[in-house]
Every structure is written in C-alpha cells, then in structure tokens.
Amino acid sequence: MFLVTGGAGFIGSNVVAALNDAGHSDVAVCDVLGQDGKWRNLAKRQLADVVPPAELGDWLKGRRLTAVIHLGAISETTATDGDLVIETNFRLSMRLLDWCTANATPFIYASSAATYGDGERGFDDDASVEALKRLRPMNLYGWSKNLFDLAVAERVAKGERLPPQWAGLKFFNVFGPNEYHKGPMMSVLARRFDDIKAGRVVQLFKSHREGIADGDQRRDFIYVDDVVRVMMWLIATPRVSGLFNVGTGKARSFRDLIVSAYGALGLEPNIQYVDLPEQIRGSYQYFTQSAVDRLGRAGYNGGFTRLEDAVGAYVTGFLDRADRYR
C-alpha cells in the first residue's frame, strides 16, 4: 500500500492518479476533504482508505507500506497561524520521518521553492546544513519547510538513521489540473482562464524595475505532469535519496504563460498592465529559476514539458472542458 498525505490536494491527487494508472489500487489518502469540493480531485480514483490527519498516528500502527509520499501541508504563503503551520508542516513531517525510519519505508516529501526567499542567495538545492542555514524564507510557509529540510540534513550530517530512501522536493511554480480548490493560490492561468475564453481583458502587473518590461516578471513554471513524473521515477529508483529542485530550469514570463493560453484557444491576446500594489512592491519577486543539475546527476532524464506545450495540454485537455478534473 502507498500512503499519500495531502492526496486530495492539487499535486497529491495527480500522484494518486499516476499510481492508479500504473496499476496500484491499494492507495490510501490522508487529507481533510472539507466543503470546498476537494473530493472531486479523487472522484475518478480507486482508493484503499481516506484517513483524517488526526487519526493518522493510530492508522499507521502495525502497518507495512510500500512508500509514504508526504505532500500534506498548509501551503498558503499568506498563512499567519504559526502554531498551526508548525504542527502541520514540521511536527507531522517529523513524526512521519521517524515512522518511515523505524519501519524501513521510503519517504518522499514536499519541500518548496519558498525556502529560497527573495532569491538573492540563488536557487541551488544544496542539501548541506550550512547551505540551508543561509536561506531566508520570506513567509511562515517557507520557513516551516526549510526547518524540516534542516532537520533531515542534520541527521544526514551526523550519520543518523534515516529511511532506506528519502527525497525532499523543492517544487517551483506548479500548474495543472485539480488546482481549482486553491482559490487565490491557484496558478494565474487557472484564475484567469474564464476571462481569456470570454474575451475579457486579463490584467498583469507592470514592471517597476528598470530593464524589465511589463509582464516580463519571470517564474520557473512547471506542469504538474512533470512533477509527478519525477516522483514516480523516485519510487521506481529506490537507490536515489537527496534534496532536489523540481522545476524546468528555465524561467518564463507571466506574459508568455497567458499568451500561450490565448494561442491554445486560437485567440488574440487582450492584456492590460496594472501597477503592482504599493504594499508588495518592495518584496515582489521578479525572477525564479531552479538549478536542476543535481536531479540530472542522480539519474533523472525524463525531461520537462515546454511551457507552450504544457499550457496547450492544460487548456485543451482540462480548462476548456465541462469536466476539468483529472
């Protein structure tokens, strides 16, 4: 049996779909379904169990699992409840790490590119304690993720016991099907698609930095299928452990992203540029781009989907259909 925490969420439900497609029906999901329609992310899936997070400790007692894929977290970068974030993102992760160590179970977990903060220190997935200590996340979510990365790195440095395989994945700007419950945390493509399709104007931010054009602020956008492919490769390659960036390694602009969506629909772009709000102007990131060398050196050669192709697949396969779910 596989356990996927956060399995009803965006990336988690896509992992569950991939496991089902690979012939694994014995998949347990640990998540809170709530009342925002998250269950639809799993409506086409075969599951062995759906476990509330509060019951996970008891549920794990006496079990043998093929792997734990730990994606459950409070992922809002605007979260402010420090106690809740630490309990959910750090302490639960520690308990799962200890369980996987004691039970010799592979452990794949979500870190985040939010650990890099404003990017001034670069985006190198150096897993040493010294490198991780130098990072300065800008929000509570990023700090909680870096705290756990540090805890794992400390055990590695001291030669302490760990699961037979452990892998932390620093996801960059992931977009794709089943992100619709995330509200303001959805990708800008998902948030603006209905406007694009209806011909309404789509607003992007002006640049307030010399030498950068309006809408040319750049992110490492990665399609969720590529993210899942990396995780499925790790499951199939138990000799590989480590902390890895999961991005394309190629930054693209928000304008590129939106223009690609218009192109997928055969429409002319209708974009308006508006000022960045004053309150975020000083902290707004103009550039993120993952270094993916370590993942390649570990043996991953699955490649990454070109932005235009990824947007086309998302738009025609999901966003522009009556049923948008995978």
Side-chain angles (χ1 to χ4, degrees):
M1 182 185 288
F2 290 90
L3 171 66
V4 184
T5 74
F10 168 36
I11 297 175
S13 63
N14 280 278
V15 171
V16 171
L19 287 169
N20 275 183
D21 290 346
H24 303 291
S25 58
D26 211 8
V27 179
V29 162
C30 176
D31 212 332
V32 176
L33 296 181
Q35 300 181 36
D36 58 1
K38 255 167 71 171
W39 68 271
R40 295 185 185 280
N41 288 344
L42 295 172
K44 301 172 185 177
R45 301 297 134 222
Q46 185 174 357
L47 302 173
D49 206 349
V50 180
V51 186
E55 298 177 17
L56 183 58
D58 287 337
W59 184 89
L60 284 169
K61 289 176 181 174
R63 288 195 184 266
R64 305 298 300 174
L65 298 175
T66 303
V68 172
I69 303 162
H70 178 40
L71 306 175
I74 294 173
S75 59
E76 289 80 6
T77 56
T78 54
T80 57
D81 187 335
D83 296 310
L84 182 61
V85 168
I86 284 299
E87 176 59 35
T88 306
N89 294 5
F90 178 68
R91 297 192 70 220
L92 173 59
S93 299
M94 293 297 293
R95 290 195 292 271
L96 281 172
L97 176 66
D98 289 341
W99 187 90
C100 287
T101 301
N103 291 274
T105 303
F107 180 62
I108 297 167
Y109 74 91
S111 179
S112 173
T115 58
Y116 293 119
D118 62 9
E120 282 189 3
R121 292 168 175 81
F123 302 96
D124 182 13
D125 50 358
D126 185 339
S128 67
V129 172
E130 295 74 19
L132 294 172
K133 280 183 175 179
R134 286 195 294 268
L135 298 181
R136 293 292 178 267
M138 297 172 69
N139 51 56
L140 180 58
Y141 165 68
W143 173 65
S144 70
K145 288 295 187 179
N146 196 51
L147 200 62
F148 183 66
D149 289 341
L150 265 167
V152 176
E154 191 75 31
R155 293 190 183 190
V156 173
K158 292 180 177 177
E160 296 180 1
R161 283 185 66 208
L162 283 164
Q165 179 189 30
W166 65 271
L169 304 178
K170 294 197 173 197
F171 300 130
F172 276 68
N173 287 69
V174 188
F175 68 98
N178 293 11
E179 62 174 316
Y180 321 117
H181 65 284
K182 292 170 67 69
M185 299 302 294
M186 279 193 295
S187 69
V188 65
L189 173 55
R191 292 201 312 272
R192 298 290 178 256
F193 179 77
D194 289 339
D195 291 332
I196 294 169
K197 178 77 184 289
R200 295 187 289 267
V201 67
V202 173
Q203 293 184 336
L204 295 178
F205 286 136
K206 289 181 180 178
S207 170
H208 295 269
R209 196 172 285 184
E210 191 174 345
I212 297 176
D214 294 340
D216 199 38
Q217 301 92 334
R218 297 183 176 230
R219 297 287 184 274
D220 192 334
F221 298 109
I222 181 168
Y223 195 41
V224 71
D225 289 21
D226 293 342
V227 168
V228 171
R229 195 177 301 116
V230 170
M231 283 188 273
M232 295 299 286
W233 173 77
L234 282 165
I235 289 168
T237 318
R239 62 176 175 75
V240 173
S241 292
L243 183 64
F244 303 105
N245 283 335
V246 181
T248 65
K250 185 173 178 57
R252 298 291 300 274
S253 71
F254 283 99
R255 188 183 193 314
D256 289 342
L257 181 76
I258 297 302
V259 167
S260 296
Y262 280 107
L265 293 169
L267 301 174
E268 286 296 314
N270 183 14
I271 299 172
Q272 178 187 62
Y273 298 99
V274 298
D275 285 327
L276 267 166
E278 286 278 358
Q279 61 267 30
I280 67 169
R281 201 171 291 181
S283 60
Y284 186 77
Q285 279 185 300
Y286 275 71
F287 183 85
T288 65
Q289 180 172 282
S290 63
V292 293
D293 304 9
R294 283 189 175 83
L295 189 60
R297 288 199 299 271
Y300 183 72
N301 60 2
F304 301 101
T305 309
R306 193 173 68 106
L307 180 68
E308 289 77 7
D309 295 332
V311 170
Y314 189 17
V315 166
T316 59
F318 298 95
L319 290 175
D320 198 30
R321 295 184 176 231
D323 180 1
R324 294 180 170 182
Y325 291 87
R326 166 158 279 151

